[in-house]
Amino acid sequence: DALPIFIIRAFRGTRRVRSFGSLVGATNEGQQRLLSTGILSKVDVSMLPGSTDDSTVLFIEVEEAKRYKGHVGTSQNADGEQSLEIDLNVKNVFGRAESLRLFSAQAVTSRQFSFIFDKPYLGNTSVRGQISASADAYDYARYSSLTEKVRSLVCSLFTQKGHTVSAEWSWRDIIPVTTGSLKPSKRVMDEASSSFKGSLIHSYVHNTLDDHIDPDHGQYVKVTNELAGVGGDTHFIKSEINSLSLHPFGSFLSLALSMNLGLIQPLGTDQFNNCPTRIIDRFFLGGPKSLRGFRTKGVGPRDPKRPLVENTTVTPTQGDAIGGDLYATVAAKLSLPGTAVKGITLRPFGFINGGNLVMLPSVAEVNRSKLNEWIRTTRLAAGIGLAVPLPFGRLEFSYAWVLSKQDYDKPKPFQLGFFAHF
């Protein structure tokens, strides 16, 4: 049977120790490695003296988890709407801790379907491999007068040190949508076509948060770099940094400081001028998860929609959100201790956040005047809120006072956001 071989490999680190303390550490690591595969519900290890004074015998007792697991339920997607989810899992498919997952989510403005094959601890390494195929559709008519259809194949390798390396190939379609009496903007119509992207992606995550749903202290940093152009007609370099640092003040207050920064740069002759980035690849800003006080995709460059009837007035806020090449946000959030009300924890907080999103004419043209313009047009909002930690995520209600905005931005004082986990 292959399963005992996999278990033995999980504890191979115990063979190289030279002290009892190191043996305990290697044993705990082996237990965590086995439990993290999800195929075992229990891993118990007993230690007994060996036949010699410098040897120890390990007795390993395991209990296999349910091989088949299914879930049907609802959740809140990134745009704040409810979606119906179907999630089916088959564990230990070939006896070496592999798993198959079939996932489907249906909402009013999105459809997702994915098939995922996962193989932990490839060979004798601690690297986990994954292959996923997906077909997704997103309706962004209310934001950008378009819908997106994306079919992707992704091959990924995950290390226990927080590194992930992926190769992604995706076919993308942008379909323009007429909303009411307004036609899509010229920029949307210019990109109403199909494109193929082949890219290599590396990400690194450093996470020392004390809780993955409602943390009080620790740090979280994620750095992602993508090189598109490994096949296909899409070429760019895209980098993004997301950071969060929490600082408790006794048992009373917790201060969360966050910073996010992203840049996408096209590759090609004259770069930004002759080979601009695509809407589907750019950054967007606004919403409870990126910039409170503004609607989802409510901040940043817009292109005017075109009226179906001549001489119809189009306001600045009716333009299509077309995204930006450079964005940055900073935020501070001060949370009070939670109060239990009928078994539900309510945690008040106050916040202030600011950010900006712009298109770049070229990286070479980013000078002092551009920096001053960036600072002058930075959006700023402050407010209060109430967080509700739940077993499956964190629900947040917030009210914001917008302190700085542009004429074409879309403020939203009251917001409801759902945060699954870090």
Side-chain angles (χ1 to χ4, degrees):
D1 191 353
L3 184 57
I5 296 176
F6 174 76
I7 293 176
I8 292 173
R9 286 177 176 174
F11 288 92
R12 67 182 182 274
T14 60
R15 300 176 179 177
R16 299 187 295 269
V17 299
R18 296 187 177 182
S19 66
F20 183 76
S22 299
L23 176 62
V24 173
T27 301
N28 291 336
E29 181 180 344
Q31 286 180 294
Q32 294 303 314
R33 290 181 64 183
L34 287 179
L35 291 172
S36 66
T37 64
I39 67 169
L40 300 174
S41 60
K42 183 180 73 172
V43 178
D44 292 334
V45 181
S46 302
M47 298 183 185
L48 294 177
S51 57
T52 61
D53 294 339
D54 60 350
S55 64
T56 301
V57 178
L58 300 181
F59 288 90
I60 305 170
E61 181 183 359
V62 300
E63 182 176 314
E64 189 172 2
K66 292 182 179 180
R67 190 173 184 185
Y68 302 97
K69 184 179 180 181
H71 168 75
V72 178
T74 61
S75 67
Q76 189 180 59
N77 63 18
D79 293 331
E81 66 177 4
Q82 293 295 317
S83 64
L84 174 64
E85 293 184 353
I86 300 175
D87 196 353
L88 303 175
N89 290 269
V90 182
K91 300 178 181 179
N92 201 26
V93 180
F94 304 116
R96 296 179 181 270
E98 304 91 348
S99 67
L100 288 174
R101 182 188 182 197
L102 184 66
F103 176 80
S104 177
Q106 177 77 44
V108 175
T109 61
S110 65
R111 298 190 306 274
Q112 296 174 276
F113 179 83
S114 60
F115 179 82
I116 303 170
F117 175 76
D118 194 278
K119 175 66 176 75
Y121 307 112
L122 294 173
N124 291 320
T125 71
S126 60
V127 176
R128 178 167 64 91
Q130 185 181 95
I131 298 176
S132 65
S134 62
D136 305 327
Y138 304 96
D139 183 357
Y140 295 137
R142 55 178 170 169
Y143 307 125
S144 306
S145 299
L146 61 85
T147 61
E148 293 179 4
K149 293 184 179 180
V150 183
R151 282 81 74 193
S152 302
L153 176 66
V154 183
C155 301
S156 303
L157 297 175
F158 304 85
T159 74
Q160 291 186 329
K161 301 296 184 180
H163 294 274
T164 302
V165 178
S166 302
E168 177 184 341
W169 298 273
S170 58
W171 183 267
R172 298 99 55 85
D173 294 316
I174 292 183
I175 304 169
V177 177
T178 297
T179 56
S181 61
L182 297 175
K183 295 187 293 184
S185 64
K186 183 178 183 302
R187 294 292 293 270
V188 170
M189 294 303 299
D190 289 344
E191 296 194 29
S193 61
S194 299
S195 63
F196 179 70
K197 183 185 74 168
S199 64
L200 296 176
I201 306 169
H202 171 263
S203 66
Y204 170 73
V205 175
H206 173 74
N207 188 350
T208 62
L209 298 178
D210 63 324
D211 187 85
H212 69 284
I213 291 178
D214 189 32
D216 278 317
H217 63 81
Q219 288 80 39
Y220 176 89
V221 178
K222 182 177 181 180
V223 181
T224 304
N225 293 287
E226 179 179 5
L227 172 63
V230 187
D233 55 5
T234 303
H235 305 82
F236 62 79
I237 295 177
K238 187 176 185 179
S239 298
E240 188 171 14
I241 300 175
N242 309 109
S243 65
L244 172 67
S245 180
L246 292 109
H247 307 273
F249 294 93
S251 59
F252 187 64
L253 298 174
S254 178
L255 176 64
L257 302 174
S258 63
M259 181 190 73
N260 302 282
L261 177 66
L263 171 66
I264 180 171
Q265 179 177 358
L267 300 176
T269 306
D270 204 13
Q271 295 182 343
F272 288 90
N273 295 326
N274 291 340
C275 302
T277 54
R278 300 175 186 265
I279 294 176
I280 196 172
D281 298 314
R282 296 189 192 119
F283 299 104
F284 289 87
L285 193 60
K289 294 185 178 181
S290 65
L291 194 64
R292 288 186 175 94
F294 295 88
R295 293 183 180 274
T296 300
K297 297 189 177 183
V299 173
R302 295 187 176 276
D303 198 39
K305 292 183 180 181
R306 299 170 302 156
L308 290 172
V309 180
E310 293 185 4
N311 301 322
T312 301
T313 302
V314 179
T315 64
T317 58
Q318 289 179 306
D320 287 326
I322 57 175
D325 301 311
L326 173 66
Y327 91 95
T329 64
V330 293
K333 174 184 172 184
L334 190 64
S335 299
L336 297 173
T339 301
V341 178
K342 295 184 178 181
I344 299 177
T345 301
L346 304 178
R347 193 169 188 186
F349 65 87
F351 68 90
I352 183 170
N353 61 188
N356 207 343
L357 172 72
V358 297
M359 297 280 288
L360 293 179
S362 73
V363 173
E365 294 182 29
V366 179
N367 50 31
R368 183 181 294 273
S369 63
K370 295 293 184 181
L371 180 60
N372 292 335
E373 178 70 11
W374 170 283
I375 296 174
R376 187 185 67 80
T377 59
T378 294
R379 284 70 162 180
L380 190 65
I384 56 176
L386 192 66
V388 184
L390 302 170
F392 47 85
R394 189 177 75 255
L395 197 63
E396 287 190 0
F397 304 86
S398 64
Y399 186 88
W401 290 269
V402 176
L403 307 177
S404 176
K405 70 179 186 68
Q406 298 301 302
D407 292 339
Y408 47 84
D409 292 335
K410 294 186 176 182
K412 188 178 182 181
F414 179 79
Q415 290 179 313
L416 170 64
F418 179 75
F419 301 78
H421 58 78
F422 290 95

